[in-house]
Amino acid sequence: MALKSPWRADFPGVLALEAEGQTYLDSAATAQKPQALLDALLGYYASGAANVHRAQHLPGERATRAFEVTRSKAAQWLNALSTDEIIFTRGSTESLNLLAYGLEHLLPVGGQIVISAAEHHANLLPWQQLAKRRGLELVILPLDQSGDVDLHAAMRLIGPHTALLAITQLSNVLGRWQPVAALLAMAKAHGALTVIDGAQGAVHAKPDVQALGCDFYVCSAHKLYGPDGVGLLYGRGEALAHLQPWQFGGEMVLDADYHEARFRPAPLGLEAGTPAVGAVIALGAALAWLSELDHAAVAAHEGALHAELLRGLQARAGIRLLGEPQLALACFHVDGVHNADLAHLLSEQGIAVRAGHHCAMPLMKHLGLGGAIRVSLGLYNDGSDLQRFFTALDNALELLR
Ligand SMILES: Cc1ncc(COP(=O)(O)O)c(C=O)c1O
């Protein structure tokens, strides 16, 4: 009996793709959306759009209230102490760029920024560029065979010069929970700032920023069954107080003159310009929908699907997995087969998977690969999706080998 997702019917996009003969296995790139989100988005626009925090009129008050409800829901979702610790951005990429600019003044010249070898470009390039701007050293923590940061090496590399640690919680290529607790403890022992890239992690376990004890945590709504164009940046109250704005304009100002200005504290001081009002309101609906789920049942379903995915890949000759993925996804390479050719043949059979470097080019180079295929799962996937994938994979490999 193929595994069945009890949540699939809530996702019109999954059903529409299925009716078109498409099997969606690319949720690590972006997730499909529940009906509750579509209803909230339509409800907001259909009842009258308005800008937030500025207007005294009824639609403006209504939009502001709904917008701020999402902030409270996001604070609850992340287990932040206060709603003021939640900043809306455009996504994880923007959150990390905001941090790289807004923390620059705190990092001493000659200090070190520490990241891992598994980082997505979004958690590499902002720090790399900051290191160049400011004369800092970028230190890369190596990985072990399974794909985890090597803690022995980390113990050597994190030290008194470490000014900031930025680490992914769950790798988008290797599918491993990184040992963030141990790494944060090392960094904090040296008084360093700590940043967690939760773009993938937030999707597969409810984050608890207080338990993590990080200064900053970022994630993207669109991967979390929410809308495009919205990201969450959590900042621990004390750390957030030192984060400087990197964008200037409307909404974030306390007082402005032609030659001087004073800015609001977080969160509004870090949200210059008109935000994605409708999308933020829709994110509130997605978070409400997510909060209602039986999280143990979701984890069990995703775990069973993932085990089936690994079993199928490991049973086929010539397939090499990248690391030892624990959940959510698997990246693989087939000996003698170019990943783009394989992706093309899979796509021709209606299988939507991702091929290429997965925005982690240095990791791919380190693994000696030009690219890999990634199959990634959402809670709406069924065993039948995997069966279709494996049938298509066998057909493609027969042609290519
Ligand atoms: C681990 C990780 N970090 C950061 C990002 C960037 O997210 P976004 O494109 O939503 O800004 C991604 C997206 O794939 C990711 O997987």
Side-chain angles (χ1 to χ4, degrees), residues 28 91-93 120 122 168 170 172 197 199-200 220 222-223:
S92 300
T93 303
H120 186 283
T168 185
L170 174 64
N172 65 309
D197 174 359
Q200 299 293 338
S220 297
H222 71 96
K223 295 186 197 288

Side-chain angles (χ1 to χ4, degrees), residues 229-299:
V230 183
L232 298 177
L233 166 61
Y234 156 82
R236 193 173 54 80
E238 236 171 88
L240 200 51
H242 299 288
L243 182 63
Q244 290 187 344
W246 75 312
Q247 289 183 340
F248 301 87
E251 191 120 348
M252 48 86 69
V253 160
L254 267 181
D255 183 42
D257 227 315
Y258 283 116
H259 298 288
E260 290 299 332
R262 287 186 306 120
F263 308 117
R264 289 178 168 195
L268 296 188
L270 295 157
E271 293 176 358
T274 299
V277 179
V280 167
I281 292 170
L283 170 61
L287 289 176
W289 182 86
L290 278 172
S291 303
E292 292 291 303
L293 297 180
D294 174 345
H295 295 284
V298 171

Side-chain angles (χ1 to χ4, degrees), residues 52-53 57-72 281:
V52 287
H53 301 133
H57 49 64
L58 174 78
E61 273 174 31
R62 200 159 51 200
T64 302
R65 213 175 316 121
F67 185 88
E68 290 302 325
V69 164
T70 299
R71 204 187 300 276
S72 313
I281 292 170

Side-chain angles (χ1 to χ4, degrees), residues 114-119 123 139-143 149 166-168 178 183:
V114 178
I115 62 170
S116 85
E119 301 308 322
N123 196 34
V139 175
I140 313 294
L141 301 177
L143 308 176
V149 170
I167 196 86
T168 185
Q178 293 301 324
L183 292 169

